[in-house]
Amino acid sequence: MKGIIFTEFLELVEEKFGLTMVDQIINQSELESGGAYTSIGTYDFSEMLQLLTNLSQNTSIPADDLLMVFSEHLFAGLTKSHPDLVKHYKDPMDLLASIEGHIHVEVQKIYPDAQLPTFEIVDKSDNRLEMIYKSDKGLYMLGKGLMQQTFKVFGQEAEITCEKLKEDGTEVKFIVIR
Ligand code: HEM
């Protein structure tokens, strides 16, 4: 997993829970990296899972809820680091429908070893988008949060529902209705 995800995550933990919590979750986890991340580096996904699980245990907040909060912070961080990827979008629905064919394609060029999810579009109209998320990482709640955040930054509202096609969350159908 790319370092930018880790650096944004630890930044959020510091912002919401303080530096002591950052140290605590790093110490509680068995991290090959030692907890030192750079945005362009690549680290084992298990490190993120451990950090997230320990944060969830320490705060008694479910991991999925933490992912939703994280997505808000992450969206801001990703678009700040890569403004060119999103600036020409005028419509949040178009942006979401372009993750697979444009945004993550460019991300893959910037970070050749990124392991990105796929979002297959099943159906799209002006106010409705149906797509299927697939990823070994099962981070669909992060995806849901990033979708909600996309609408928020455009000052719009949408109802986003997800239906697990696989129990472990590695395949999930999203329906976005504006
Ligand atoms: C400027 C816009 C965006 C950038 C630069 C970006 C970049 C990235 C990067 C670098 C990763 C990490 C890949 C890795 O660790 O190897 C990632 C993962 C991910 N991205 Fe994006 N992304 C953007 C927008 C979005 C949006 C709008 C969504 C909405 C659904 C999204 C969904 C995800 C998900 C769910 C993951 C987690 C990995 C997984 O589930 O397999 N991204 N993205």
Side-chain angles (χ1 to χ4, degrees), residues 119-178:
F119 287 95
E120 182 203 332
I121 298 174
V122 180
D123 195 30
K124 183 184 185 299
S125 58
D126 271 0
N127 295 317
R128 191 177 179 284
L129 174 65
E130 191 175 323
M131 51 185 188
I132 296 181
Y133 161 92
K134 281 189 199 165
S135 163
D136 290 350
K137 298 194 171 81
L139 291 176
Y140 69 99
M141 283 305 271
L142 189 69
K144 186 177 184 197
L146 288 168
M147 290 182 196
Q148 277 179 353
Q149 199 51 28
T150 304
F151 276 90
K152 212 165 152 186
V153 299
F154 280 91
Q156 294 187 22
E157 280 182 26
E159 184 192 280
I160 300 167
T161 50
C162 38
E163 179 194 328
K164 277 189 194 176
L165 302 179
K166 285 197 179 154
E167 199 39 51
D168 60 3
T170 55
E171 215 175 299
V172 175
K173 180 158 92 177
F174 279 97
I175 299 174
V176 183
I177 297 170
R178 168 156 55 189

Side-chain angles (χ1 to χ4, degrees), residues 6 9 25 29 37 47-55:
F6 287 89
F9 180 74
I25 59 172
S29 309
Y37 302 103
E47 298 203 2
M48 178 52 73
L49 283 183
Q50 289 187 69
L51 293 168
L52 183 65
T53 306
N54 285 320
L55 182 65

Side-chain angles (χ1 to χ4, degrees), residues 1-2 78 86 99 104 107 114-117 119 133 135 143 146:
M1 171 165 257
K2 292 312 297 176
L78 289 173
V86 289
I99 303 169
H104 276 179
V107 170
Q115 291 178 317
L116 294 156
F119 287 95
Y133 161 92
S135 163
L146 288 168

Side-chain angles (χ1 to χ4, degrees), residues 7-177:
T7 54
E8 292 295 337
F9 180 74
L10 292 179
E11 202 177 280
L12 172 85
V13 176
E14 181 178 346
E15 205 177 285
K16 299 268 184 215
F17 305 102
L19 204 50
T20 315
M21 181 62 83
V22 174
D23 286 341
Q24 195 180 338
I25 59 172
I26 287 174
N27 290 329
Q28 287 167 328
S29 309
E30 278 170 36
L31 307 174
E32 210 178 304
S33 68
Y37 302 103
T38 66
S39 63
I40 54 161
T42 301
Y43 307 90
D44 206 296
F45 177 54
S46 73
E47 298 203 2
M48 178 52 73
L49 283 183
Q50 289 187 69
L51 293 168
L52 183 65
T53 306
N54 285 320
L55 182 65
S56 171
Q57 277 168 8
N58 296 343
T59 58
S60 305
I61 301 171
D64 277 355
D65 292 356
L66 290 169
L67 281 177
M68 289 296 280
V69 178
F70 174 42
S71 56
E72 201 166 306
H73 183 85
L74 181 63
F75 188 84
L78 289 173
T79 51
K80 195 170 165 216
S81 301
H82 303 287
D84 293 352
L85 295 187
V86 289
K87 70 175 181 211
H88 71 273
Y89 290 101
K90 305 264 180 290
D91 180 340
M93 218 47 133
D94 288 343
L95 190 156
L96 294 184
S98 306
I99 303 169
E100 179 74 9
H102 169 238
I103 297 174
H104 276 179
V105 173
E106 293 305 314
V107 170
Q108 193 80 62
K109 290 182 197 163
I110 302 166
Y111 308 105
D113 56 354
Q115 291 178 317
L116 294 156
T118 60
F119 287 95
E120 182 203 332
I121 298 174
V122 180
D123 195 30
K124 183 184 185 299
S125 58
D126 271 0
N127 295 317
R128 191 177 179 284
L129 174 65
E130 191 175 323
M131 51 185 188
I132 296 181
Y133 161 92
K134 281 189 199 165
S135 163
D136 290 350
K137 298 194 171 81
L139 291 176
Y140 69 99
M141 283 305 271
L142 189 69
K144 186 177 184 197
L146 288 168
M147 290 182 196
Q148 277 179 353
Q149 199 51 28
T150 304
F151 276 90
K152 212 165 152 186
V153 299
F154 280 91
Q156 294 187 22
E157 280 182 26
E159 184 192 280
I160 300 167
T161 50
C162 38
E163 179 194 328
K164 277 189 194 176
L165 302 179
K166 285 197 179 154
E167 199 39 51
D168 60 3
T170 55
E171 215 175 299
V172 175
K173 180 158 92 177
F174 279 97
I175 299 174
V176 183
I177 297 170

